[in-house]
Amino acid sequence: MTRIVLQSADIGRALTRISHEILESNKGPDGLVLLGIPTRGATLARRIGALLSGIAGAAVPVGSLDVTMHRDDLHRNPTRAPQPTEIPAEGIDGRVVVLVDDVLFSGRSIRAALDALQDLGRPAAVRLAVLVDRGHRELPIRPDFVGKNLPSSREERVNVRLSEVDGGEDEVTIA
Amino acid sequence: MRHLLSTADLGRDQALTILDTAEDMASVSGREVKKLPTLRGRTVVNLFFEDSTRTRISFEVAAKRLSADVINFSAKGSSVSKGESLKDTAQTLQAMGADGVVIRHPASGAPHTLAHAGWIDAGVVNAGDGTHEHPTQALLDAFTIRRRLHGAAGRGRDLDGVSVTIVGDILHSRVARSNVWLLHLLGARVRLVAPATLLPVGIGDWPVEAGYDLDAAVAEGPDVLMMLRVQAERMHDAFFPGEREYSREWGLTDERLARLPATTMVMHPGPMNRGLEISAAAADSPASTVLDQVANGVSVRMSALYHLLAGEE
């Protein structure tokens, strides 16, 4: 049975709130870099980037960070094609990097992202923003900004649809 | 993908996936930390029964950038010179736990035998076998053409409509064979130009046009002009009267270079015989992609090793 958890308007409100929280905790837009984890994390990072410039009146660099090559389960799955990594021209050294992903589950993608970041430079701090936190962490990783906490069982599947990637309406469902 | 033996085995999507992943690998080569942990704990053996500098080093750099352990094995100074067979060598590597074997061999089909004889479980990459195939060279050539034409926006694109003229010793060239299959697969129009003695029998079945006149091919202004090395070590017959005549009829001379459109890229798989199939000015001109090909070779080989060795057993 599929249940809708967030509708398009809910997702918009959650991203707006996350944007305000990011600005609040960083005391403004200075030194921020948003890096989304492909595919949908990168899309969410671009949306949050647009919201931040609207709120703070200054452009925040947005990029994407592919973690495929750093995953710890590569040998357990068929080979997957990596997605592009695009680091903004400003780089990440000494900046506050906000990682953006759609669903936080085991935490293993974020661990891989932290490793990938290490090869790219030395940020002043790394924060984590996710649209949905569904629990079941397998590593000591905690998000700083959460769109929705969604208690789930391990067997359930959380599905995020975004119009830029999937077409149609934005939607988060659980099945 | 389990082995990479021939570009004729590749599907269009597979080929494009390798090229697209090579784009990501190329961005790693531009970073301060040129290393990915992807193949940590895996062992890649470079098994070279034939001389090579750039291909062996390129594979070695590629494997090391993916954090694999690399063992270099060349026939000279090994037990092969004592008469050890390919089977015994392979079984030795198996016993040592090799995960990937990159093989170059003077006999066409040796990589195929190694992959399918059941001697080893490792993934096999053909790094050139006799006069048969050299698939990673063709992939890096296609990657170089795509990058020159489209830059970073080339991701996901094929070579539809690109005209490629391959000139020289087609008969002995594994580079030409691999390129013909791959470029045709990606939608390019391939034309071969060579002395009649250096065109293989049975070329009628290949998806190419063949001719003997380089001046006519230059006049057409192809997008890509690929000069092949005159392989002196395989020239056991009188295929052409002399080096000067070869250079005059089928070499890219300064004068032919001047007649090429400025947009034509000049490729050469290396090592070059300057003054024979390609003049020094052509080799060093802005149209030349020779050094791009070397740099792109590392990215493409990283991509190939990733797709062969990273996934589940």
Side-chain angles (χ1 to χ4, degrees):
Chain A
M1 195 191 77
T2 307
R3 181 163 60 87
I4 295 178
V5 184
L6 292 175
Q7 289 177 326
S8 180
D10 303 324
I11 293 174
R13 277 191 290 272
L15 293 181
T16 306
R17 177 173 52 74
I18 288 174
S19 304
H20 281 286
E21 285 174 1
I22 291 174
L23 286 173
E24 185 185 10
S25 79
N26 193 58
K27 301 186 171 60
D30 294 342
L32 283 175
V33 176
L34 298 179
L35 292 180
I37 297 173
T39 309
R40 288 173 188 77
T43 306
L44 290 173
R46 280 193 290 275
R47 288 197 193 175
I48 294 175
L51 287 166
L52 286 177
S53 358
I55 300 163
V60 173
V62 179
S64 61
L65 179 70
D66 185 64
V67 304
T68 311
M69 299 287 172
H70 296 265
R71 298 193 71 92
D72 59 6
D73 57 356
L74 277 173
H75 299 339
R76 295 159 190 265
N77 294 303
T79 318
R80 35 173 116 193
Q83 304 283 316
T85 289
E86 283 154 9
I87 303 300
E90 293 85 347
I92 61 168
D93 279 326
R95 290 178 158 262
V96 177
V97 172
V98 182
L99 292 173
V100 184
D101 205 356
D102 52 355
V103 179
L104 181 60
F105 185 23
S106 66
R108 287 179 190 264
S109 305
I110 303 304
R111 198 239 9 117
L114 292 172
D115 274 5
L117 269 186
Q118 198 177 356
D119 288 349
L120 293 167
R122 186 178 185 280
V126 182
R127 313 271 181 238
L128 175 59
V130 297
L131 181 60
V132 174
D133 179 357
R134 62 170 294 191
H136 304 290
R137 214 78 72 243
E138 292 164 7
L139 294 168
I141 280 168
R142 174 187 63 78
D144 300 277
F145 313 105
V146 184
K148 179 163 180 71
N149 283 301
L150 180 63
S152 64
S153 88
R154 262 178 196 280
E155 286 68 39
E156 284 173 311
R157 279 194 58 81
V158 176
N159 195 7
V160 175
R161 296 178 58 88
L162 298 174
S163 58
E164 297 96 318
V165 182
D166 308 288
E169 291 274 300
D170 293 348
E171 196 175 69
V172 177
T173 56
I174 186 166
Chain B
M1 213 170 26
R2 180 95 175 77
H3 308 292
L4 179 58
L5 303 175
S6 159
T7 53
D9 300 338
L10 291 174
R12 185 178 170 281
D13 290 343
Q14 270 180 323
L16 286 178
T17 304
I18 294 176
L19 297 187
D20 290 348
T21 304
E23 289 282 353
D24 300 309
M25 297 302 184
S27 68
V28 173
S29 303
R31 298 197 318 220
E32 202 173 301
V33 181
K34 297 182 185 59
K35 209 152 171 99
L36 291 168
T38 316
L39 295 183
R40 201 157 58 94
R42 303 240 151 172
T43 303
V44 175
V45 178
N46 281 333
L47 193 56
F48 277 62
F49 293 92
E50 212 181 67
D51 294 340
S52 161
T53 354
R54 73 193 66 216
T55 304
R56 187 180 59 74
I57 293 178
S58 183
F59 268 110
E60 183 171 353
V61 171
K64 284 185 169 166
R65 287 206 177 147
L66 292 172
S67 303
D69 295 315
V70 182
I71 297 170
N72 284 312
F73 173 103
S74 61
K76 276 179 199 145
S78 74
S79 288
V80 171
S81 51
K82 298 178 189 164
E84 189 176 60
S85 68
L86 180 60
K87 180 177 180 180
D88 289 329
T89 306
Q91 286 175 333
T92 306
L93 298 178
Q94 171 71 12
M96 289 177 184
D99 298 294
V101 177
V102 176
I103 177 171
R104 165 164 293 193
H105 201 284
S108 303
H112 188 272
T113 304
L114 187 64
H116 297 295
W119 302 329
I120 50 169
D121 302 326
V124 175
V125 185
N126 180 0
D129 58 333
T131 59
H132 176 226
E133 286 240 22
H134 191 356
T136 56
Q137 177 72 40
L139 286 162
L140 77 89
D141 287 341
F143 184 72
T144 303
I145 296 171
R146 194 175 79 168
R147 278 207 138 186
R148 273 261 169 142
L149 290 176
H150 304 301
R155 207 181 275 271
R157 296 179 70 156
D158 60 12
L159 301 176
D160 193 26
V162 176
S163 55
V164 181
T165 301
I166 305 177
V167 185
D169 181 2
I170 311 289
L171 180 63
H172 298 108
S173 178
R174 51 198 178 207
V175 175
R177 282 172 182 75
S178 288
N179 261 308
V180 164
W181 311 131
L182 183 68
L183 294 173
H184 173 70
L185 180 73
L186 295 176
R189 284 180 290 118
V190 184
R191 169 186 268 272
L192 305 177
V193 175
T197 48
L198 289 175
L199 278 175
V201 177
I203 208 168
D205 302 336
W206 293 15
V208 296
E209 282 175 63
Y212 311 117
D213 187 350
L214 179 56
D215 288 310
V218 165
E220 284 182 13
D223 298 315
V224 178
L225 191 63
M226 188 183 294
M227 308 306 296
L228 297 175
R229 183 170 68 90
V230 175
Q231 304 190 38
E233 75 274 20
R234 295 191 216 278
M235 298 282 178
H236 304 305
D237 271 311
F239 290 104
F240 49 86
E243 294 195 345
R244 285 184 57 190
E245 170 157 347
Y246 183 90
S247 172
R248 195 166 61 238
E249 295 289 326
W250 294 286
L252 181 56
T253 56
D254 295 358
E255 182 265 329
R256 288 197 177 101
L257 177 70
R259 275 189 274 133
L260 279 174
T263 50
T264 297
M265 57 188 109
V266 173
M267 307 186 78
H268 193 296
M272 293 184 280
N273 297 307
R274 285 173 184 247
L276 181 52
E277 72 267 2
I278 188 166
S279 74
D284 299 330
S285 76
S288 162
T289 62
V290 174
L291 293 178
D292 293 355
Q293 286 170 273
V294 176
N296 291 338
V298 175
S299 308
V300 165
R301 290 179 176 119
M302 284 170 78
S303 169
L305 288 174
Y306 169 72
H307 284 290
L308 255 52
L309 302 180
E312 65 187 332
E313 297 275 286

Short mmCIF file of all heavy atoms in Angstrom, two decimals, chain A residues 25 43 52 64 95-97 99 102 115 118 124-126 137-138 143 146 151 154 167 175:
data_model
loop_
_atom_site.label_atom_id
_atom_site.label_comp_id
_atom_site.label_asym_id
_atom_site.label_seq_id
_atom_site.Cartn_x
_atom_site.Cartn_y
_atom_site.Cartn_z
N SER A 25 21.75 29.21 11.34
CA SER A 25 22.89 28.56 12.02
C SER A 25 24.22 29.10 11.51
O SER A 25 25.20 29.10 12.22
CB SER A 25 22.82 27.05 11.84
OG SER A 25 23.28 26.70 10.56
N THR A 43 19.41 17.99 -7.18
CA THR A 43 18.26 18.83 -7.52
C THR A 43 17.79 19.64 -6.31
O THR A 43 17.52 20.84 -6.42
CB THR A 43 17.09 17.93 -8.01
OG1 THR A 43 17.59 17.11 -9.06
CG2 THR A 43 15.92 18.74 -8.48
N LEU A 52 17.89 30.31 -0.92
CA LEU A 52 18.84 31.07 -0.11
C LEU A 52 19.14 32.42 -0.75
O LEU A 52 19.17 33.45 -0.07
CB LEU A 52 20.15 30.29 0.06
CG LEU A 52 20.13 29.09 1.01
CD1 LEU A 52 21.49 28.40 1.00
CD2 LEU A 52 19.79 29.53 2.42
N SER A 64 27.53 19.58 -7.10
CA SER A 64 27.09 18.22 -6.80
C SER A 64 28.32 17.37 -6.46
O SER A 64 29.44 17.67 -6.90
CB SER A 64 26.35 17.62 -8.00
OG SER A 64 27.20 17.57 -9.12
N ARG A 95 35.44 26.63 3.77
CA ARG A 95 34.04 27.01 3.67
C ARG A 95 33.16 26.06 4.48
O ARG A 95 33.60 25.01 4.92
CB ARG A 95 33.59 26.99 2.21
CG ARG A 95 34.23 28.12 1.43
CD ARG A 95 33.84 28.11 -0.01
NE ARG A 95 34.02 29.45 -0.56
CZ ARG A 95 33.03 30.34 -0.71
NH1 ARG A 95 31.78 30.02 -0.40
NH2 ARG A 95 33.29 31.53 -1.19
N VAL A 96 31.90 26.49 4.67
CA VAL A 96 30.95 25.63 5.36
C VAL A 96 30.16 24.88 4.29
O VAL A 96 29.37 25.47 3.55
CB VAL A 96 30.00 26.45 6.25
CG1 VAL A 96 28.96 25.54 6.89
CG2 VAL A 96 30.79 27.18 7.32
N VAL A 97 30.44 23.59 4.18
CA VAL A 97 29.79 22.77 3.16
C VAL A 97 28.50 22.19 3.73
O VAL A 97 28.52 21.59 4.80
CB VAL A 97 30.72 21.63 2.70
CG1 VAL A 97 29.98 20.67 1.79
CG2 VAL A 97 31.94 22.19 1.99
N LEU A 99 25.97 19.42 2.87
CA LEU A 99 25.62 18.28 2.01
C LEU A 99 24.10 18.17 1.96
O LEU A 99 23.44 18.34 2.99
CB LEU A 99 26.20 16.99 2.58
CG LEU A 99 27.72 16.85 2.56
CD1 LEU A 99 28.14 15.59 3.32
CD2 LEU A 99 28.24 16.81 1.14
N ASP A 102 18.31 13.42 -0.50
CA ASP A 102 16.85 13.31 -0.41
C ASP A 102 16.41 12.50 0.80
O ASP A 102 15.64 12.98 1.61
CB ASP A 102 16.24 12.79 -1.72
CG ASP A 102 16.88 11.49 -2.21
OD1 ASP A 102 17.86 11.03 -1.58
OD2 ASP A 102 16.39 10.93 -3.20
N ASP A 115 34.15 11.04 2.88
CA ASP A 115 35.43 10.60 2.31
C ASP A 115 35.73 11.33 1.01
O ASP A 115 36.86 11.75 0.77
CB ASP A 115 35.38 9.09 2.01
CG ASP A 115 35.75 8.27 3.23
OD1 ASP A 115 35.95 8.88 4.29
OD2 ASP A 115 35.83 7.04 3.11
N GLN A 118 36.97 14.82 1.56
CA GLN A 118 38.34 14.87 2.07
C GLN A 118 39.36 14.96 0.94
O GLN A 118 40.40 15.59 1.09
CB GLN A 118 38.59 13.63 2.92
CG GLN A 118 39.77 13.76 3.83
CD GLN A 118 39.93 12.53 4.70
OE1 GLN A 118 39.12 11.61 4.66
NE2 GLN A 118 40.99 12.50 5.47
N ALA A 124 35.73 24.22 6.41
CA ALA A 124 35.73 24.68 7.81
C ALA A 124 34.77 23.82 8.62
O ALA A 124 35.03 23.50 9.78
CB ALA A 124 35.32 26.15 7.87
N ALA A 125 33.65 23.45 8.02
CA ALA A 125 32.68 22.59 8.70
C ALA A 125 31.82 21.92 7.64
O ALA A 125 31.71 22.41 6.52
CB ALA A 125 31.79 23.41 9.63
N VAL A 126 31.26 20.77 7.98
CA VAL A 126 30.35 20.08 7.07
C VAL A 126 29.02 19.90 7.78
O VAL A 126 28.98 19.40 8.92
CB VAL A 126 30.90 18.70 6.64
CG1 VAL A 126 29.95 18.05 5.64
CG2 VAL A 126 32.28 18.83 6.04
N ARG A 137 19.78 4.19 11.26
CA ARG A 137 21.17 4.52 10.99
C ARG A 137 22.08 3.35 11.33
O ARG A 137 21.88 2.64 12.31
CB ARG A 137 21.59 5.74 11.83
CG ARG A 137 22.56 6.62 11.13
CD ARG A 137 21.95 7.53 10.07
NE ARG A 137 21.17 8.60 10.66
CZ ARG A 137 19.86 8.74 10.46
NH1 ARG A 137 19.20 7.89 9.71
NH2 ARG A 137 19.23 9.73 11.02
N GLU A 138 23.11 3.13 10.50
CA GLU A 138 24.11 2.10 10.77
C GLU A 138 25.45 2.70 11.14
O GLU A 138 26.42 1.98 11.38
CB GLU A 138 24.25 1.19 9.53
CG GLU A 138 22.99 0.36 9.29
CD GLU A 138 22.93 -0.25 7.90
OE1 GLU A 138 23.93 -0.15 7.16
OE2 GLU A 138 21.88 -0.82 7.56
N PRO A 143 21.66 14.23 10.94
CA PRO A 143 21.45 15.40 10.08
C PRO A 143 21.31 16.68 10.90
O PRO A 143 20.84 16.65 12.04
CB PRO A 143 20.13 15.07 9.38
CG PRO A 143 19.41 14.19 10.34
CD PRO A 143 20.45 13.42 11.09
N VAL A 146 16.42 18.89 8.79
CA VAL A 146 15.57 17.79 8.34
C VAL A 146 14.23 18.34 7.84
O VAL A 146 13.60 19.14 8.53
CB VAL A 146 15.31 16.79 9.49
CG1 VAL A 146 14.51 15.60 8.97
CG2 VAL A 146 16.61 16.33 10.11
N PRO A 151 9.17 7.98 10.68
CA PRO A 151 9.39 6.64 11.25
C PRO A 151 8.97 5.60 10.23
O PRO A 151 7.89 5.71 9.63
CB PRO A 151 8.49 6.61 12.49
CG PRO A 151 8.11 8.03 12.75
CD PRO A 151 8.12 8.72 11.41
N ARG A 154 12.21 -1.16 8.25
CA ARG A 154 13.30 -1.41 7.30
C ARG A 154 12.80 -1.89 5.95
O ARG A 154 13.41 -1.64 4.92
CB ARG A 154 14.22 -2.49 7.87
CG ARG A 154 15.43 -1.93 8.53
CD ARG A 154 16.28 -3.06 9.09
NE ARG A 154 17.23 -2.51 10.03
CZ ARG A 154 18.36 -1.92 9.66
NH1 ARG A 154 18.67 -1.84 8.40
NH2 ARG A 154 19.17 -1.40 10.55
N GLY A 167 9.63 14.31 -13.62
CA GLY A 167 8.45 14.86 -14.27
C GLY A 167 7.27 14.85 -13.30
O GLY A 167 7.35 14.31 -12.20
N ALA A 175 5.96 2.97 0.85
CA ALA A 175 5.23 1.77 0.46
C ALA A 175 5.85 0.55 1.14
O ALA A 175 7.01 0.57 1.49
CB ALA A 175 5.25 1.58 -1.04
#
